[in-house]
Amino acid sequence: MTRYVLALFALLLSGCMTPAPIQPPSTFYVMRHLDTLEGSSDPDLTEAGQRRAALLADWFAEEPPLAIFVSDTRRARQTAAPLAEKLGITPRIYDPSDSRGLIMEVMKEPAPVLIVAHSNTVPDIVYALSGERPDPLVHADFGDIWRIAGKDRTVTKTRLP
């Protein structure tokens, strides 16, 4: 009887030690909307911002996003529009005051994912996805793209020309 109990216990214990499935590395891109004039509540992109938005469509040639998230502001939608059109993706609208809800939705998407955010939300979003917080952004900080990738969530930052 003791042998039977020990064998049953060993069998149950071995079932508890099954490793968790390995999650594939994910890639996320986070950027602030592109160039706008300072002082407007919902400005359009400037000519420089429109030029960079066109460049963004080619910037993702090697690793295009499968999903794009934008806030419901003209500047965010205009930033993503050329890329979304090129890829045939309809950007998903998110509430910029709910970064936690955004992260939960982004994690459900197949990677890579692009998030077009704002100066006051980019640091929090990058931190939530990587554990690394970028410096605060000022108005002139346009064109930076943070790539968060791999199991260790390595962050690299590049800038559109």
Side-chain angles (χ1 to χ4, degrees):
M1 178 76 166
T2 303
R3 258 188 209 167
Y4 175 74
V5 171
L6 287 175
L8 182 60
F9 180 71
L11 182 62
L12 289 173
L13 187 59
S14 69
C16 293
M17 299 179 106
T18 303
I22 297 172
Q23 298 216 340
S26 296
T27 302
F28 306 98
Y29 292 94
V30 181
M31 67 180 295
R32 178 188 183 195
H33 62 79
L34 292 168
D35 311 55
T36 60
L37 294 176
E38 194 168 7
S40 298
S41 62
D42 190 14
D44 288 312
L45 295 182
T46 62
E47 285 185 32
Q50 292 170 14
R51 181 185 56 77
R52 283 185 172 170
L55 291 174
L56 186 65
D58 293 328
W59 192 85
F60 281 102
E62 292 182 28
E63 192 176 34
L66 299 175
I68 300 171
F69 287 79
V70 297
S71 70
D72 194 17
T73 60
R74 286 194 299 249
R75 58 195 180 272
R77 286 181 280 133
Q78 291 170 2
T79 294
L83 175 64
E85 183 177 335
K86 180 178 182 174
L87 299 175
I89 295 174
T90 300
R92 293 189 44 196
I93 304 295
Y94 74 91
D95 178 357
S97 68
D98 184 15
S99 291
R100 184 169 188 233
L102 168 65
I103 298 302
M104 289 179 7
E105 289 302 310
V106 163
M107 295 303 232
K108 295 176 189 175
E109 295 296 321
V113 175
L114 169 64
I115 301 167
V116 179
H118 299 272
S119 61
N120 62 331
T121 60
V122 164
D124 291 338
I125 294 168
V126 171
Y127 179 73
L129 292 170
S130 70
E132 184 177 316
R133 183 178 300 280
D135 292 333
L137 302 176
V138 297
H139 181 76
D141 289 330
F142 295 112
D144 291 333
I145 302 173
W146 287 263
R147 180 180 187 265
I148 300 115
K151 289 182 182 184
D152 61 353
R153 306 285 190 204
T154 301
V155 178
T156 53
K157 181 176 103 173
T158 57
R159 180 168 280 213
L160 287 171

